[in-house]
Amino acid sequence: MKKFFIGLCCALYSCQPRAFAESAAEFADKANRLFFVGQLTKSVEFYKRALLQNPTTQVYLDAAVVYKTLDRIKESIDMFEKAAVLDPSNADIFSELGWACLQVSQTERAQGAFNKALEIRPDDPSALLGLGVALADLRKTDEAIQALRMLKKFRPNFAASSFLIGRACESVGDFKNAHENYVQTMKRDWTFNEARVSLAKASQKVGKIDQAIAQLQSLNSSDPQNPEIKNSLRALSASAPDPEEEEKEEKTIVSVASDTSKFVAIHSYKEFFSGIPLRVGVWTSPAGKAARIKTFSFLSSEPFSVIGKKSKKLYGRVDGKEKWEVKMVKTGHFLLKSKGGEYGPFNGPIRLEPELDTNAFLFESVTLARGFRPENSPKEYRGVLEVAPRTGGGVYVVNEVDIEEYLLGCVPAEIPSTWPIEAQKAQAVIARTQGVLRKDSFRPHRKAGYDLCDSQHCQVYKGIRAESSASQRAVQETRGVLLYYKEKLAYSYYYSSCGGHSRDSNDLRGWGNLSYLRGVVDGDVNPSALPVSPWKMELWIRDNPDAFCNLQDYVTSSEFRWLRIVPLSVAERKLSRKFRLGKVLRIVPLARGVSGHVKELLIEGSRRKVILKKENDIRSAFTIGSLRSTLFIIEAKKDVKGNIKEFWVSGGGWGHGVGLCQTGAGGLANKHQKTYEEILTFYYPGTHVRRVSF
């Protein structure tokens, strides 16, 4: 009898829900953790358990966001409505309810939710944006434009408001105002390539054919395999280059300087040199690859010598300010010539070594192979130019300069010279550290023959034309200063904007797990506002939170918060090229870091599904070009039949998010008067700076 009683008790206990062992709060915490590691379906089950015990507003909201992420919109709307009953004065709840309704074309219901949010908080940016979208969908164009213009007052740097005004104008045939608003969109966010498509169409409508062609050419460069863009180029102008033949053609890039014979007056900084020569590949691609240059012409402000790199042979001494041209004569052989004479042909690298430290080499024009699109701006360099034949034809150019000279043209290219001097000093230190690391340790372009490239692949370098008195001061006052962790150089990664919270290095595959590369909150933010749950993360990304990098006075573009609207056709065409997914059914962010950045992205198609885990793969998966960052939420906007029309991607920040946030450094220096040492130790905890002699 005793054994039977014990057995019965055990059986009864085993049938009881685990609510006896765990509280609602514990279930909710477990659900939050499951959400951030990408176990969304399991996360929902634990929210349900928490709601059975204690149906709180917070749990309803967290569950609503997870349902929405899973594209289970009906259940998401139900959760939002239940939360609204419990907390009827919360504007955020009604705003997010409106966005969920918009996804499934319950437009009038969405309009009512947004109006309710604005009754509670009239300046709510998310509700104003949503109301503008809802009114436009209901063909209430004037009211939609009014709401979106109100949004522009509160968030003047948010490019999407201008884009949506443009769409509203276009819907009623007002192409003039549509064109003006699309132009404003691109001024605020030149990476919004889907808006560039609209600008190209509007330009054609108002008769600005050259502008339309320029926009399409830019789009073709961002996504050269996009057939719609290619076809539009063909149809628009018979004189437009045939994209199918682009690899066979050449492109001439001409300096945009008003008078290329005028050199920028420069000073010698030899007394500040560190003694570390850097070899910088110039005219390189975004991936750091050397351009295939057919010809280029240049001038030198002072005399220079022509010397064989390997043989050390002096071929001649050349007077300055004479136009010289480098020209291929056959594969692997090039000439250096002017009106007064010529040298060569050379089949190996030559060095153009100036006699004075104040010399400048000024590029006048460059002819490049098709498929390469460098910045069209004047290029003028200190130091030595090295010209070498390039494998596959053409030549490439390396600028050899002391590291301190290099920084004079790098620091102002990476951070505006109008920003606080302490922020520029911080940039000088980390750029100097990156230069040494890439020369001695990383060696990313060793096979190409240079230490660093001049593109974002390494660090942007623009030479003399970028120099300013402020950036010169930042370089000089930090001369020889490097960033260390204990006794080793620190990996001084940096990027434009973190969006409010930087990332752990181990969020990105292959970046290591370094104690000084830990995500930090970028501002004096209330911990309750941080992305610690699905609901908090949704608001964090959708809203405009306080942060050091939220600098509207310094950054006039959509970097801190941005929006992309991607047509289904664009997403499907790009995804089908690489993955052959068939019809795209849903795109779901799975695992996220502590900052909210997406670490895994599920893309489900009618044929198969894929999970992307690499940073660049996630950012470039389904858009024209690339997203600014992986800090985003994504919503599929559908028609009344449930068919996807567009993907709306709301995001924050620009760049990978590991290490120093450049805009945040500006905020720390400006608003909080921090020194460059304090800025560096904030973004790289546990590091220190050290001035060294080389």
Side-chain angles (χ1 to χ4, degrees), residues 138-164:
L138 292 168
R139 307 293 182 185
K140 299 177 181 179
T141 306
D142 291 341
E143 294 176 61
I145 292 174
Q146 183 179 355
L148 293 167
R149 284 177 175 165
M150 184 67 69
L151 172 62
K152 290 180 75 171
K153 290 182 180 179
F154 296 120
R155 296 180 67 178
N157 296 342
F158 190 58
S161 53
S162 295
F163 174 70
L164 291 168

Tab-separated table of all heavy atoms in Angstrom, residues 138-164:
chain	number	residue	atom	x	y	z
A	138	LEU	N	-4.397	54.164	-48.696
A	138	LEU	CA	-5.833	54.448	-48.815
A	138	LEU	C	-6.117	55.542	-49.851
A	138	LEU	O	-7.251	56.015	-49.966
A	138	LEU	CB	-6.389	54.878	-47.453
A	138	LEU	CG	-6.431	53.780	-46.373
A	138	LEU	CD1	-6.726	54.380	-45.007
A	138	LEU	CD2	-7.465	52.718	-46.732
A	139	ARG	N	-5.092	55.942	-50.597
A	139	ARG	CA	-5.195	56.964	-51.638
A	139	ARG	C	-5.527	58.346	-51.081
A	139	ARG	O	-6.055	59.211	-51.801
A	139	ARG	CB	-6.247	56.580	-52.691
A	139	ARG	CG	-6.057	55.209	-53.300
A	139	ARG	CD	-4.803	55.135	-54.136
A	139	ARG	NE	-4.649	53.829	-54.772
A	139	ARG	CZ	-3.584	53.455	-55.487
A	139	ARG	NH1	-2.575	54.318	-55.639
A	139	ARG	NH2	-3.518	52.260	-56.023
A	140	LYS	N	-5.243	58.570	-49.823
A	140	LYS	CA	-5.421	59.884	-49.224
A	140	LYS	C	-4.075	60.612	-49.285
A	140	LYS	O	-3.393	60.817	-48.283
A	140	LYS	CB	-5.914	59.751	-47.787
A	140	LYS	CG	-7.267	59.041	-47.674
A	140	LYS	CD	-7.692	58.869	-46.220
A	140	LYS	CE	-9.030	58.148	-46.104
A	140	LYS	NZ	-9.444	57.949	-44.689
A	141	THR	N	-3.713	60.993	-50.499
A	141	THR	CA	-2.347	61.444	-50.779
A	141	THR	C	-1.977	62.711	-50.020
A	141	THR	O	-0.891	62.793	-49.424
A	141	THR	CB	-2.179	61.670	-52.294
A	141	THR	OG1	-2.555	60.477	-52.987
A	141	THR	CG2	-0.742	62.020	-52.619
A	142	ASP	N	-2.840	63.712	-50.046
A	142	ASP	CA	-2.516	64.975	-49.372
A	142	ASP	C	-2.310	64.773	-47.875
A	142	ASP	O	-1.382	65.343	-47.270
A	142	ASP	CB	-3.620	66.008	-49.611
A	142	ASP	CG	-3.679	66.473	-51.055
A	142	ASP	OD1	-2.668	66.291	-51.769
A	142	ASP	OD2	-4.727	67.002	-51.470
A	143	GLU	N	-3.172	63.951	-47.259
A	143	GLU	CA	-3.035	63.690	-45.827
A	143	GLU	C	-1.764	62.891	-45.541
A	143	GLU	O	-1.100	63.116	-44.518
A	143	GLU	CB	-4.263	62.929	-45.319
A	143	GLU	CG	-5.553	63.721	-45.379
A	143	GLU	CD	-6.750	62.876	-44.963
A	143	GLU	OE1	-6.757	62.398	-43.811
A	143	GLU	OE2	-7.653	62.677	-45.799
A	144	ALA	N	-1.436	61.966	-46.437
A	144	ALA	CA	-0.218	61.167	-46.267
A	144	ALA	C	1.012	62.062	-46.299
A	144	ALA	O	1.910	61.951	-45.451
A	144	ALA	CB	-0.130	60.105	-47.359
A	145	ILE	N	1.047	62.968	-47.265
A	145	ILE	CA	2.191	63.879	-47.387
A	145	ILE	C	2.288	64.777	-46.164
A	145	ILE	O	3.390	65.052	-45.662
A	145	ILE	CB	2.074	64.699	-48.686
A	145	ILE	CG1	2.260	63.780	-49.901
A	145	ILE	CG2	3.097	65.830	-48.708
A	145	ILE	CD1	2.010	64.458	-51.236
A	146	GLN	N	1.148	65.219	-45.651
A	146	GLN	CA	1.145	66.062	-44.460
A	146	GLN	C	1.753	65.335	-43.268
A	146	GLN	O	2.566	65.896	-42.516
A	146	GLN	CB	-0.284	66.492	-44.135
A	146	GLN	CG	-0.391	67.449	-42.945
A	146	GLN	CD	-1.826	67.871	-42.677
A	146	GLN	OE1	-2.739	67.532	-43.426
A	146	GLN	NE2	-2.029	68.605	-41.600
A	147	ALA	N	1.387	64.056	-43.068
A	147	ALA	CA	1.944	63.269	-41.958
A	147	ALA	C	3.442	63.060	-42.130
A	147	ALA	O	4.219	63.161	-41.169
A	147	ALA	CB	1.227	61.922	-41.865
A	148	LEU	N	3.878	62.788	-43.364
A	148	LEU	CA	5.294	62.529	-43.610
A	148	LEU	C	6.122	63.802	-43.486
A	148	LEU	O	7.284	63.756	-43.054
A	148	LEU	CB	5.470	61.898	-44.993
A	148	LEU	CG	4.869	60.485	-45.135
A	148	LEU	CD1	4.796	60.062	-46.590
A	148	LEU	CD2	5.690	59.481	-44.318
A	149	ARG	N	5.548	64.933	-43.849
A	149	ARG	CA	6.259	66.202	-43.649
A	149	ARG	C	6.398	66.533	-42.166
A	149	ARG	O	7.396	67.111	-41.741
A	149	ARG	CB	5.538	67.330	-44.387
A	149	ARG	CG	5.779	67.298	-45.896
A	149	ARG	CD	5.007	68.376	-46.623
A	149	ARG	NE	5.361	68.393	-48.047
A	149	ARG	CZ	4.652	69.022	-48.983
A	149	ARG	NH1	3.556	69.706	-48.630
A	149	ARG	NH2	5.027	68.984	-50.247
A	150	MET	N	5.397	66.161	-41.384
A	150	MET	CA	5.493	66.330	-39.936
A	150	MET	C	6.627	65.459	-39.389
A	150	MET	O	7.403	65.893	-38.523
A	150	MET	CB	4.174	65.947	-39.286
A	150	MET	CG	4.135	66.182	-37.777
A	150	MET	SD	4.189	67.935	-37.337
A	150	MET	CE	2.563	68.451	-37.924
A	151	LEU	N	6.751	64.251	-39.929
A	151	LEU	CA	7.848	63.363	-39.514
A	151	LEU	C	9.204	63.996	-39.809
A	151	LEU	O	10.134	63.906	-38.995
A	151	LEU	CB	7.723	62.019	-40.231
A	151	LEU	CG	8.887	61.039	-40.069
A	151	LEU	CD1	9.061	60.630	-38.613
A	151	LEU	CD2	8.673	59.804	-40.946
A	152	LYS	N	9.320	64.669	-40.952
A	152	LYS	CA	10.590	65.296	-41.323
A	152	LYS	C	11.000	66.375	-40.325
A	152	LYS	O	12.193	66.615	-40.124
A	152	LYS	CB	10.501	65.889	-42.738
A	152	LYS	CG	10.433	64.845	-43.845
A	152	LYS	CD	10.350	65.475	-45.214
A	152	LYS	CE	11.677	66.037	-45.648
A	152	LYS	NZ	11.651	66.469	-47.068
A	153	LYS	N	10.028	67.019	-39.685
A	153	LYS	CA	10.359	68.030	-38.682
A	153	LYS	C	11.017	67.394	-37.463
A	153	LYS	O	11.934	67.958	-36.865
A	153	LYS	CB	9.092	68.777	-38.252
A	153	LYS	CG	8.507	69.682	-39.322
A	153	LYS	CD	7.284	70.421	-38.789
A	153	LYS	CE	6.691	71.344	-39.856
A	153	LYS	NZ	5.491	72.054	-39.344
A	154	PHE	N	10.538	66.224	-37.085
A	154	PHE	CA	11.071	65.559	-35.902
A	154	PHE	C	12.333	64.751	-36.203
A	154	PHE	O	13.189	64.598	-35.332
A	154	PHE	CB	10.001	64.643	-35.294
A	154	PHE	CG	8.791	65.372	-34.785
A	154	PHE	CD1	7.534	65.108	-35.304
A	154	PHE	CD2	8.905	66.345	-33.804
A	154	PHE	CE1	6.413	65.780	-34.832
A	154	PHE	CE2	7.790	67.028	-33.335
A	154	PHE	CZ	6.550	66.744	-33.853
A	155	ARG	N	12.433	64.220	-37.429
A	155	ARG	CA	13.608	63.426	-37.803
A	155	ARG	C	14.104	63.884	-39.170
A	155	ARG	O	13.895	63.220	-40.179
A	155	ARG	CB	13.270	61.930	-37.806
A	155	ARG	CG	12.896	61.407	-36.444
A	155	ARG	CD	12.566	59.918	-36.464
A	155	ARG	NE	13.731	59.112	-36.776
A	155	ARG	CZ	13.703	57.774	-36.820
A	155	ARG	NH1	12.590	57.126	-36.583
A	155	ARG	NH2	14.795	57.093	-37.095
A	156	PRO	N	14.768	65.038	-39.221
A	156	PRO	CA	15.147	65.628	-40.511
A	156	PRO	C	16.156	64.807	-41.299
A	156	PRO	O	16.250	64.975	-42.513
A	156	PRO	CB	15.737	66.990	-40.108
A	156	PRO	CG	16.146	66.827	-38.676
A	156	PRO	CD	15.148	65.889	-38.082
A	157	ASN	N	16.898	63.932	-40.639
A	157	ASN	CA	17.921	63.155	-41.336
A	157	ASN	C	17.412	61.800	-41.820
A	157	ASN	O	18.180	61.022	-42.384
A	157	ASN	CB	19.136	62.931	-40.426
A	157	ASN	CG	19.823	64.229	-40.062
A	157	ASN	OD1	19.618	65.242	-40.726
A	157	ASN	ND2	20.631	64.218	-39.029
A	158	PHE	N	16.142	61.520	-41.611
A	158	PHE	CA	15.575	60.219	-41.966
A	158	PHE	C	15.151	60.249	-43.430
A	158	PHE	O	14.141	60.856	-43.792
A	158	PHE	CB	14.399	59.911	-41.050
A	158	PHE	CG	13.873	58.517	-41.146
A	158	PHE	CD1	14.692	57.427	-40.898
A	158	PHE	CD2	12.549	58.284	-41.475
A	158	PHE	CE1	14.200	56.136	-40.974
A	158	PHE	CE2	12.045	57.009	-41.545
A	158	PHE	CZ	12.871	55.918	-41.296
A	159	ALA	N	15.921	59.598	-44.285
A	159	ALA	CA	15.730	59.713	-45.731
A	159	ALA	C	14.414	59.124	-46.212
A	159	ALA	O	13.849	59.574	-47.213
A	159	ALA	CB	16.890	59.026	-46.456
A	160	ALA	N	13.906	58.111	-45.511
A	160	ALA	CA	12.717	57.412	-45.998
A	160	ALA	C	11.484	58.295	-46.060
A	160	ALA	O	10.575	58.044	-46.861
A	160	ALA	CB	12.439	56.196	-45.118
A	161	SER	N	11.418	59.340	-45.224
A	161	SER	CA	10.249	60.228	-45.276
A	161	SER	C	10.174	60.927	-46.638
A	161	SER	O	9.099	61.021	-47.238
A	161	SER	CB	10.289	61.240	-44.136
A	161	SER	OG	11.523	61.934	-44.105
A	162	SER	N	11.317	61.393	-47.142
A	162	SER	CA	11.335	62.013	-48.473
A	162	SER	C	10.981	60.995	-49.557
A	162	SER	O	10.261	61.306	-50.518
A	162	SER	CB	12.711	62.620	-48.761
A	162	SER	OG	12.994	63.683	-47.889
A	163	PHE	N	11.481	59.777	-49.401
A	163	PHE	CA	11.188	58.736	-50.388
A	163	PHE	C	9.689	58.453	-50.448
A	163	PHE	O	9.097	58.344	-51.531
A	163	PHE	CB	11.950	57.459	-50.033
A	163	PHE	CG	11.593	56.285	-50.910
A	163	PHE	CD1	11.969	56.250	-52.240
A	163	PHE	CD2	10.864	55.223	-50.398
A	163	PHE	CE1	11.622	55.177	-53.050
A	163	PHE	CE2	10.513	54.145	-51.193
A	163	PHE	CZ	10.898	54.124	-52.525
A	164	LEU	N	9.049	58.328	-49.296
A	164	LEU	CA	7.625	58.010	-49.273
A	164	LEU	C	6.776	59.175	-49.768
A	164	LEU	O	5.734	58.965	-50.395
A	164	LEU	CB	7.215	57.595	-47.865
A	164	LEU	CG	7.805	56.247	-47.422
A	164	LEU	CD1	7.594	56.030	-45.926
A	164	LEU	CD2	7.191	55.103	-48.219
